[in-house]
Amino acid sequence: SSCGQMSAERRRLFNYRPVCFAALVLAAGILLAESLYPVNHLFRLIPIAVATAVAVALLLFRRARRYAALAVVFVVGVIAMSAASDIYDSRLPESAQGTFTARVTSEIISEDGTLSFYVDRLYVDGKKVSGEGRVYVSFGSAPDFGLGDTVALKGRLMPESHEPFDTYFASSALKGEYFVVYADEASHLADGEADFLSRLRVAVKRMFYVNTDSDTAAICTALVVGDKRGIDDDLYESVQASGLAHILAVSGLHVTALASAAMWLLRKCRLNSKISFFVVLALTFAYVALCAFTPSSVRAFIMTGALNLGTAFGLKRDLMSSLGLAAFLILLFTPFSVMHVGFLLSVFAVLGIFLFAEPMKRFFVKGIDRVCPSLFEEANPSVAGARLLRTDSCDISEARIRGRAEAYDPAAGKIVTVKDSAARRVLIRVAEAVLVSLAANFTTLPLAALFFGKVQTLFLLSNIFILPYMMIIYTLLLIITPFALITGLGGLLGAFDFLLLTFTAFTRAVGAVSFASVGVSVSVTAVAVAEVFLVLASRYFFFTRRTRAITLCSVAAVGAVLCTVFAFA
């Protein structure tokens, strides 16, 4: 019976993960609603009516009833995006010329004789304008106002424009930006005080800039709070060319590192696993709030919470389902995220790791076995001595990949912790770094080519040699920054001027290599075909090798035809 059940499971096109398919269908509904934005709003009723009819039809058939929920989710996606667009448009102000009052909500950045900052509570002719906006003003001297102050702006008010599938618009919409002010004059009206998180961000940034040089301060600010605006353009181009730009955007790498470190510390303190879960959840939420709830950090927060929930309460952990849940919730409450570059790169990077990292790792472990055989024997685990009868923390195949496990030693008659040789564990860690980087880039390179028009060729070197080092730097920053902020010992941060020399020197060296960043031009169709091809090539696509090969060749052929047609259309 169990064999028959497994056979039926293997015959499915994909295994049963409802939340993943719900996220995919929700995204489809959102994208369709966005494509209908320029036309009459009544046209939105067509997909809603069709999907509702499909849901009703599916409910009539017993075996198909479970799929009716997907049709409902599609309707929810169309409605969510339509509502978000209408609400955003209703809050857009009209163009205006004159003098306005507003409250400064960010630090003031001076560049090439122009000041830029964000404001809210903007009043035009006594009427309050919704949301935030960016202000640009020519200024010859230092401003006499700061964060939280009320200012008078004399100039021109321009509303943001909603362009379908525009990534810049999506970024503005997610930040709650509704307007831009080009001011000729800006003057102080009244003192004020900003909210706690804004003041904390500014305090952290000021501490970095006071105690370190400008490049170090900008990098530390990007690492801790995800604000990259202070990084020199030449340096940031070098960072992008090296394939390390993701380090400077608070994402899953940072949130997961914080959550893992906190969970490890609480475990060492022998705190109850359920209490530890809520402590870590609160800590990561506070950190995501400090980073202004960027889509990538929110995605990481939800995923980390879902996985830690399974660990704390003894539930089954499923990586793909946690990713699907994170994508579903983000898209449901912030539909514009579907067009946000940071969100897309974050989701597809994690997707690539889940699809390919583990199979590639198991393949490479077989090669490592020839150089450094494992203590964990699969074929004959009952051999005396170092060969282990069984493992308690994981199965033997998993123990061979990890390089360590809690296991029963028949000679000692007790559970012991056994480690493979140091050389083997180092080889496995290097292989992991290489394969995780490769897997993430499999699915993000097409998107990078689409959005940025270029791809990085030396990302493997960067992720092998610099990424682990930068994660150590990040961990040190998380420890020293709050300590220095509380005690006033900001001078401790001066050490990062030297610690970050390796990072800046490496990225500038790579950025100077002519082929480190290669220009590539691709279409949306090509990207969609590439991503479908990769998913079908993964371990989650349950077909025989022959059927899989035929399917992949068919997808490639159809994709080539579509790309050719659209290229000459």
Side-chain angles (χ1 to χ4, degrees):
S1 174
S2 61
C3 292
Q5 185 177 358
M6 289 179 62
S7 176
E9 182 73 13
R10 296 288 295 180
R11 282 197 297 269
R12 291 176 179 166
L13 184 63
F14 293 97
N15 54 2
Y16 186 63
R17 286 182 170 87
V19 70
C20 295
F21 289 97
L24 187 63
V25 172
L26 182 69
I30 290 172
L31 289 172
L32 180 60
E34 180 68 359
S35 67
L36 295 174
Y37 173 77
V39 300
N40 192 303
H41 290 182
L42 292 177
F43 281 97
R44 299 171 182 170
L45 297 176
I46 296 176
I48 293 176
V50 172
T52 303
V54 170
V56 173
L58 290 174
L59 288 173
L60 297 177
F61 298 94
R62 185 176 180 181
R63 292 186 176 181
R65 285 177 183 172
R66 67 168 63 176
Y67 302 109
L70 294 179
V72 175
V73 169
F74 180 84
V75 172
V76 171
V78 175
I79 294 175
M81 189 61 175
S82 301
S85 298
D86 291 344
I87 292 172
Y88 185 88
D89 290 348
S90 68
R91 293 176 177 175
L92 289 176
E94 296 182 357
S95 299
Q97 185 87 26
T99 301
F100 322 111
T101 62
R103 184 186 67 163
V104 180
T105 59
S106 71
E107 74 276 18
I108 300 167
I109 299 174
S110 177
E111 187 175 8
D112 299 329
T114 300
L115 301 181
S116 64
F117 51 93
Y118 288 92
V119 297
D120 67 356
R121 299 182 185 176
L122 181 79
Y123 285 87
V124 179
D125 296 330
K127 184 179 180 181
K128 184 179 178 181
V129 176
S130 300
E132 284 192 327
R134 189 99 184 241
V135 177
Y136 298 92
V137 54
S138 299
F139 225 80
S141 58
D144 58 352
F145 52 84
L147 178 66
D149 293 344
T150 301
V151 295
L153 306 171
K154 183 179 180 180
R156 182 163 48 100
L157 170 70
M158 299 291 293
E160 290 280 359
S161 59
H162 182 169
E163 298 293 337
F165 302 108
D166 182 9
T167 57
Y168 291 103
F169 161 74
S171 179
S172 297
L174 290 175
K175 293 177 183 177
E177 297 176 20
Y178 292 92
F179 56 88
V180 179
V181 176
Y182 299 96
D184 300 318
E185 297 178 12
S187 57
H188 177 271
L189 286 182
D191 292 332
E193 188 173 354
D195 60 86
F196 173 74
L197 287 177
S198 296
R199 286 186 282 115
L200 181 59
R201 290 189 202 103
V202 171
V204 169
K205 294 178 68 173
R206 183 180 293 116
M207 186 173 62
F208 286 141
Y209 277 94
V210 168
N211 295 284
T212 62
D213 64 44
S214 58
D215 281 346
T216 301
I219 294 170
C220 290
T221 301
L223 284 170
V224 175
V225 297
D227 188 344
K228 305 186 291 288
R229 288 176 294 180
I231 300 178
D232 178 75
D233 290 341
D234 292 336
L235 176 59
Y236 191 67
E237 287 181 7
S238 298
V239 173
Q240 284 184 313
S242 67
L244 292 171
H246 60 93
I247 293 179
L248 303 181
V250 174
S251 61
L253 194 66
H254 304 74
V255 176
T256 303
L258 174 62
S260 299
M263 189 65 77
W264 176 84
L265 183 62
L266 294 173
R267 193 180 296 117
K268 289 296 182 181
C269 296
R270 300 187 182 278
L271 192 65
N272 180 276
S273 61
K274 297 180 177 60
I275 298 176
S276 297
F277 164 73
F278 288 108
V279 171
V280 172
L281 191 69
L283 177 64
T284 50
F285 178 81
Y287 183 61
V288 171
L290 179 64
C291 298
F293 295 104
T294 59
S296 56
S297 64
V298 173
R299 190 273 309 159
F301 167 72
I302 296 174
M303 278 193 65
T304 303
L307 293 174
N308 287 339
L309 177 69
T311 302
F313 291 88
L315 305 175
K316 182 180 178 181
R317 289 160 49 105
D318 185 78
L319 298 175
M320 286 294 289
S321 294
S322 67
L323 176 61
L325 176 64
F328 182 86
L329 292 176
I330 292 173
L331 292 176
L332 180 63
F333 292 104
T334 55
F336 290 121
S337 297
V338 78
M339 300 175 292
H340 190 272
V341 177
F343 171 77
L344 293 175
L345 290 176
S346 176
V347 168
F348 277 88
V350 176
L351 178 64
I353 293 171
F354 291 170
L355 293 180
F356 299 108
E358 191 64 27
M360 291 193 300
K361 190 190 304 181
R362 293 184 181 278
F363 174 79
F364 274 85
V365 164
K366 294 179 181 178
I368 295 174
D369 284 342
R370 298 181 180 180
V371 182
C372 297
S374 174
L375 294 177
F376 301 94
E377 186 67 46
E378 285 186 307
N380 186 17
S382 60
V383 176
R387 306 301 186 213
L388 303 174
L389 181 63
R390 64 184 176 85
T391 64
D392 288 349
S393 61
C394 56
D395 60 31
I396 291 178
S397 60
E398 187 67 24
R400 294 173 69 247
I401 294 177
R402 292 183 181 181
R404 61 176 293 166
E406 291 180 356
Y408 177 74
D409 187 344
K414 62 180 181 179
I415 302 296
V416 295
T417 299
V418 181
K419 297 180 181 180
D420 269 323
S421 65
R424 177 183 171 82
R425 283 184 281 129
V426 168
L427 286 174
I428 288 177
R429 294 296 175 266
V430 172
E432 281 181 341
V434 172
L435 298 176
V436 167
S437 179
L438 274 176
N441 278 275
F442 281 162
T443 45
T444 55
L445 280 179
L447 291 168
L450 175 66
F451 292 123
F452 308 121
K454 55 186 177 181
V455 295
Q456 288 72 44
T457 60
L458 301 178
F459 64 87
L460 270 182
L461 290 176
S462 304
N463 284 277
I464 292 172
F465 295 108
I466 299 299
L467 181 59
Y469 177 75
M470 288 304 293
M471 293 315 297
I472 296 174
I473 297 294
Y474 173 70
T475 304
L476 290 174
L477 277 171
L478 287 183
I479 296 171
I480 296 176
T481 301
F483 177 79
L485 197 63
I486 294 171
T487 61
L489 299 175
L492 295 173
L493 296 169
F496 289 95
D497 283 334
F498 303 97
L499 293 174
L500 285 172
L501 283 177
T502 303
F503 173 73
T504 54
F506 179 87
T507 53
R508 290 187 189 279
V510 171
V513 178
S514 59
F515 57 84
S517 185
V518 179
V520 178
S521 178
V522 297
S523 64
V524 175
T525 305
V527 172
V529 171
E531 299 297 352
V532 170
F533 184 92
L534 289 170
V535 171
L536 295 181
S538 73
R539 58 177 173 151
Y540 290 97
F541 183 53
F542 296 147
F543 265 9
T544 62
R545 291 184 179 179
R546 181 173 180 274
T547 307
R548 183 193 291 265
I550 293 173
T551 304
L552 292 176
C553 290
S554 301
V555 170
V558 172
V561 172
L562 289 175
C563 292
T564 304
V565 170
F566 284 113
F568 291 96

